[in-house]
Amino acid sequence: MIQIVEVSPRDGLQNEKVEVSTADKLALIGRLIDMGARRIEVASFVNPRRVPQMADAEAVVAGLPDVAGVSYIGLCLNQRGVDRAIASKEKGRGLDEAGCVLVASDKFGIINQGQSIEQGLEANRAMLKSAKAAGLKPQITISAAFGCPYEGAVPAARILDLARRMADAGAEEIALADTIGVGVPGQVGDLSGAVIEAVAPIPVRLHLHDTRGLAPANAWAGYQAGVRVFNSALGGLGGCPFAPGAAGNVGTEELLYLFDRIGESSGLDLAKAVEANHWFSTIMGRPLPSRVGKAGDFLIEGERVPS
Ligand code: MG
């Protein structure tokens, strides 16, 4: 069993020029739940002047359907973000998880959220603590873990150190993000395995971008190293406003195809994902990047391979 965390409503859309309405975002979230997604990153609490697509974060959260077993994640880049995530719980169903972010390079950290690594560590310690105290699952993504758009290579030893320090600070899940899509399978497997060992029993999640076509291969390398939780976005949507050249997230369809074919279930349905892809492409006004979304599932003697 693997677990998919669907990030299309947040990382999939944050860099899109097409303005997606709150109603369409909620319709997308409904489709993701219908596909079988049980953890969904629905919004990020950022400055709307910097990321206009996320300006309706509160409205999206207020409209979330209350479905048993579904966990909603809000991305929080600072304490103000955590405070907004906590406030969502006071106005109704609200969020379940605060997804905090630690950038693993000084230069990218300063551009992305105005802080060095050390400042990020200090801020995230307080953020994880206040999220936990308010009943939100405190989890963290280490961003640019496999390479930085401004500084280049990021030493594996630094990522291990940051992961340990965030585990000590109470993070209940640690994600390694290939924010700009530069990682290669050997690197992703080695670093994932080392971090899993360093923070066990805390689960390690992978967040991959397909900028250079290696995201599915990187997911496979992570899986072989022991990773069982993966972020992905319907249709391979996405990019990062502050990471030049970053392409979409690994497509949910790609991961479903990759893992269904070895009998490793995620609980998500590939045929429904392909249907949702086609529906959402009409909202975006263009085909979505996912190649499995275009090609569909593999057929044997006219029958869909059972998943
Ligand atoms: Mg991303």
Side-chain angles (χ1 to χ4, degrees), residues 11 207 209 249:
D11 205 3
H207 175 97
H209 281 259
N249 292 271

Side-chain angles (χ1 to χ4, degrees), residues 7 10-11 14 177-180 207-209 231 239-240 247 249:
V7 300
R10 196 284 299 178
D11 205 3
Q14 68 173 7
D178 190 9
T179 309
I180 56 170
H207 175 97
L208 301 167
H209 281 259
N231 284 9
C240 173
N249 292 271

Side-chain angles (χ1 to χ4, degrees), residues 176-189:
L176 302 177
D178 190 9
T179 309
I180 56 170
V182 290
V184 294
Q187 176 193 20
V188 172

Side-chain angles (χ1 to χ4, degrees), residues 100-222:
C100 301
V101 181
L102 174 67
V103 182
S105 102
D106 282 325
K107 195 160 180 199
F108 188 30
I110 285 161
I111 291 167
N112 197 58
Q113 52 216 69
Q115 58 193 194
S116 66
I117 297 173
E118 282 304 321
Q119 288 169 324
L121 279 162
E122 197 183 319
N124 275 293
R125 272 190 207 102
M127 289 157 62
L128 291 165
K129 203 172 161 190
S130 63
K132 174 81 175 174
L136 289 161
K137 175 178 172 171
Q139 41 109 329
I140 193 152
T141 294
I142 301 178
S143 175
F146 301 97
C148 165
Y150 303 100
E151 293 181 5
V154 172
R158 183 194 297 168
I159 303 304
L160 273 172
D161 177 54
L162 297 177
R164 281 196 193 97
R165 288 161 82 176
M166 289 294 91
D168 290 345
E172 293 180 9
E173 182 182 58
I174 294 176
L176 302 177
D178 190 9
T179 309
I180 56 170
V182 290
V184 294
Q187 176 193 20
V188 172
D190 287 350
L191 186 56
S192 300
V195 172
I196 287 170
E197 207 178 297
V199 304
I202 295 169
V204 173
R205 172 164 44 92
L206 273 177
H207 175 97
L208 301 167
H209 281 259
D210 207 13
T211 314
R212 290 169 177 78
L214 289 179
N218 288 337
W220 182 247

